[in-house]
Amino acid sequence: MEVFDTLTKFQKVLNKNHTNRTIGCVPTMGALHDGHLSLIKQAKNENDIVVVSIFVNPTQFNNNSDLLNYPKTLEADLALLEQIGCDIVFTPSVLEMYPHGEVSESFNFDGLELEMEGKFRPGHFDGVGTIVKRLLEIVKPTNAYFGEKDYQQLLIIKKMVSELKMPVNIVPCPIFREANGLAMSSRNERLTAENRDEAILIYKCLLNVKSDFKKKTIKELNYEVEAIFKNHPFFDIEYFVIADTQSLKPAKSIKPNLEYRAFIATYAGEVRLIDNIAL
Ligand code: PAF
């Protein structure tokens, strides 16, 4: 496995040794868990070589303490990547990725950025778009892999790639869960053992919504979830939304020709968690 922290060396090796090979790219912010590893395994199966980037992107954090507290475990990450047979790791510095200052580009995501996460994390998706565009331009992968846990991010990246006509296939990967159902996330690291147990309520609640989806109205489902989380001593919910899977607009009623997902974001203690489920 080769590890590069500068653009020039990394691109030199890519251009010299890997032309005419299919490249699978898995962009990450590190603190790798089994969810990331499942993306990397899929990338390995579907491409000649796999490039994983590890970069905690400052422009997608709208909250400085979230950025400062984001887990950084580079040594352990590299050991995991070596073990799993990753070919190349790119671990650039902030200066390398933002030589002209930490500023986001502005994108037209067709309103996708205004829903859910966009309401609570202003500027977040422009930050994600900026860094993913830059990584895709550098790596020039055949396929790039993104998890459905960040479903809104996945749609936004697909939209960006199609608007900019970037020659890359965006591959959605299913949510990977811990044995108790909690969606895997680097932020789970910051939960205490007790908090982790409590946090399984998020998935339980999504499963209830899924099983009641055809039996109840959207209003009733929203009410049910609100009732579970309202005044809960441990959770501070930001949103629960049932939305159609293309526009992400909140559904008022269920239309037979559309597909829906339920989305949730909540603080569990100090830690912000998101999850979603196909209905
Ligand atoms: O999902 C993430 O880890 C990040 O948003 C990404 C796609 C690596 C961009 O920084």
Side-chain angles (χ1 to χ4, degrees), residues 8 13 18 38 52-53 70 86 97 106 128 134 236 254 258 262:
T8 18
V13 167
H18 301 295
S38 73
V52 172
S53 63
Y70 201 85
C86 171
M97 296 311 274
S106 297
V128 171
R134 183 138 168 78
D236 186 6
I254 299 161
L258 293 182

Side-chain angles (χ1 to χ4, degrees), residues 27-29 55 57 60 128 131-132 146 150 153 157:
T28 81
M29 298 206 295
F55 179 68
N57 173 35
Q60 71 187 77
V128 171
I131 198 64
V132 173
F146 296 89
D150 296 293
Q153 165 175 285
I157 291 168

Side-chain angles (χ1 to χ4, degrees), residues 14 42 69 105 119 170 183 215 240 247 264 268 270:
L14 270 188
Q42 187 172 340
N69 287 322
E105 282 183 51
K119 292 201 169 113
I170 300 298
K215 300 176 211 149
F240 169 77
S247 72
I264 191 164
E270 297 281 291

